[in-house]
Amino acid sequence: DAGVIQSPRHEVTEMGQEVTLRCKPISGHNSLFWYRQTMMRGLELLIYFNNNVPIDDSGMPEDRFSAKMPNASFSTLKIQPSEPRDSAVYFCASRLAGGPPDSHFGPGTRLTVL
Amino acid sequence: GDSVTQMEGPVTLSEEACLTINCTYTATGYPSLFWYVQYPGEGLQLLLKATKADDKGSNKGFEATYRKETTSFHLEKGSVQVSDSAVYFCALSGLGNSGGSNYKLTFGKGTLLTVNP
């Protein structure tokens, strides 16, 4: 198994631009999570999908952030417009709901907004 | 709500030294407990876990015991190696009839471990 795949691994953009982060969960996993990691706030859950349906988006910081999961093998996290304070590492994780409580993390996307 | 408190680093040790990273938690019900490790430039990897009281998780020489009476899950290793240098995260996932969020991980802030040769 290839594990959770994220792209791009690094993204540098200018303030005001749209940013789209992509995630492919482990095949067969039906729960998907987007986390953000910063020095100040540590790891924060942004949104959680179960069977492609958003269950909890209370961690999404504001309306500039949106996430979709059009099918079981793909999810996107979009920031529009981006701001310098969005600079962080964004992780996608997946697990099998009802299975072991482990979450499997992708390598992350390091986002820098200038 | 659920929370995890782990000792702040950084922790610097010499090779073959003993390691303990303290972790305590607050949660309703009966959470599962985890240690994740993050090597430089990489994502988080599950190091070990315990799903009920008195369980001991172990992997790669690391151990942690689920202590419900002290709400703790301290990470230990008897002899660290340079390759153990990483950030270690304690985390919990709520379970049982707590009514809490049993699907997401709540993380501590992480402890940076550096092992020198």
Side-chain angles (χ1 to χ4, degrees):
Chain A
D1 195 324
V4 176
I5 298 172
Q6 292 187 247
S7 65
R9 293 293 308 276
H10 302 274
E11 177 80 26
V12 180
T13 190
E14 293 189 346
M15 182 173 62
Q17 297 298 305
E18 178 180 294
V19 175
T20 299
L21 312 182
R22 297 172 176 81
C23 175
K24 176 178 169 56
I26 290 174
S27 178
H29 283 187
N30 58 350
S31 293
L32 184 140
F33 307 83
W34 283 100
Y35 288 88
R36 178 172 66 176
Q37 184 181 38
T38 61
M39 289 293 292
M40 291 294 294
R41 300 172 69 91
L43 277 156
E44 305 171 279
L45 177 67
L46 300 178
I47 187 169
Y48 156 62
F49 291 88
N50 193 40
N51 293 321
N52 312 338
V53 176
I55 303 299
D56 181 358
D57 65 354
S58 59
M60 296 286 262
E62 47 197 276
D63 292 346
R64 298 184 296 106
F65 285 68
S66 63
K68 294 182 180 179
M69 192 164 186
N71 58 62
S73 58
F74 184 65
S75 177
T76 60
L77 177 67
K78 184 178 294 186
I79 309 173
Q80 166 63 18
S82 58
E83 297 183 2
R85 60 193 169 115
D86 301 330
S87 298
V89 181
Y90 291 81
F91 289 105
C92 178
S94 71
R95 58 169 287 207
L96 178 62
D102 322 354
S103 286
H104 298 256
F105 282 75
T109 295
R110 180 173 294 278
L111 173 65
T112 302
V113 183
L114 303 174
Chain B
D2 296 347
S3 68
V4 174
T5 302
Q6 63 182 102
M7 63 184 284
E8 294 192 16
V11 174
T12 302
L13 297 173
S14 297
E15 206 164 22
E16 299 184 4
C18 294
L19 169 71
T20 299
I21 301 178
N22 290 334
C23 172
T24 57
Y25 67 90
T26 301
T28 54
Y30 307 97
S32 290
L33 301 174
F34 308 85
W35 277 99
Y36 279 83
V37 59
Q38 184 178 29
Y39 298 103
E42 299 184 12
L44 279 73
Q45 302 175 25
L46 179 65
L47 180 60
L48 53 85
K49 67 180 180 183
T51 58
K52 61 182 187 295
D54 299 325
D55 268 3
K56 177 185 284 187
S58 61
N59 187 25
K60 299 181 181 179
F62 291 89
E63 293 183 340
T65 301
Y66 190 142
R67 301 287 188 198
K68 189 165 175 61
E69 63 277 13
T70 54
T71 62
S72 65
F73 194 56
H74 306 321
L75 182 67
E76 298 177 325
K77 186 173 187 182
S79 176
V80 294
Q81 306 300 313
V82 173
S83 58
D84 294 327
S85 298
V87 180
Y88 292 81
F89 292 91
C90 186
L92 71 82
S93 175
L95 277 179
N97 58 356
S98 66
S101 301
N102 64 355
Y103 52 80
K104 68 178 183 181
L105 290 166
T106 300
F107 286 92
K109 292 198 177 296
T111 302
L112 173 63
L113 170 66
T114 301
V115 181
N116 295 318

